[in-house]
Amino acid sequence: MFLLELQTSDMHAALGRLLDQTRVAGLRLAAVSAPADASECRISASIDIDDRDAVDRIARRVGALFCIDAIEVRGESQCPTRTSHMTP
């Protein structure tokens, strides 16, 4: 499983392109979130596949949009995990 993160100023264009590209590639999205504030949006998509090259191709295609400010691909196992710190 891989995590694809996009930072964009146009959520609708970026999300539409991401959904279209994953559908055309025959990939399955495990989860998508797109929290937005007044000026930008961060789209996170978990893609259920073991092929990094396929995810990189989608990232390049989606990243070609004019409204994409940043893009990152990483393996789910590399995602930081939240830990709780207990105080005595």
Side-chain angles (χ1 to χ4, degrees), residues 8 10-19 43 62 65-68:
T8 180
D10 187 342
M11 176 179 64
H12 297 99
L15 190 54
R17 180 72 175 240
L18 174 63
L19 294 172
I43 298 171
V62 174
L65 283 175
F66 67 93
C67 61
I68 301 297

Side-chain angles (χ1 to χ4, degrees), residues 23-46:
R23 180 189 57 80
V24 168
L27 301 179
R28 197 184 109 202
L29 292 173
V32 176
S33 68
D37 63 23
S39 62
E40 63 185 321
C41 173
R42 183 167 199 88
I43 298 171
S44 298
S46 295

Side-chain angles (χ1 to χ4, degrees), residues 19-81:
L19 294 172
D20 184 54
Q21 289 299 313
T22 54
R23 180 189 57 80
V24 168
L27 301 179
R28 197 184 109 202
L29 292 173
V32 176
S33 68
D37 63 23
S39 62
E40 63 185 321
C41 173
R42 183 167 199 88
I43 298 171
S44 298
S46 295
I47 302 173
D48 192 10
I49 190 171
D50 292 330
D51 183 4
R52 171 76 186 231
D53 291 334
V55 178
D56 285 339
R57 281 191 299 275
I58 289 172
R60 282 192 301 275
R61 290 177 185 148
V62 174
L65 283 175
F66 67 93
C67 61
I68 301 297
D69 300 321
I71 193 163
E72 182 179 359
V73 176
R74 54 191 164 156
E76 283 285 293
S77 61
Q78 297 171 351
C79 294
T81 56

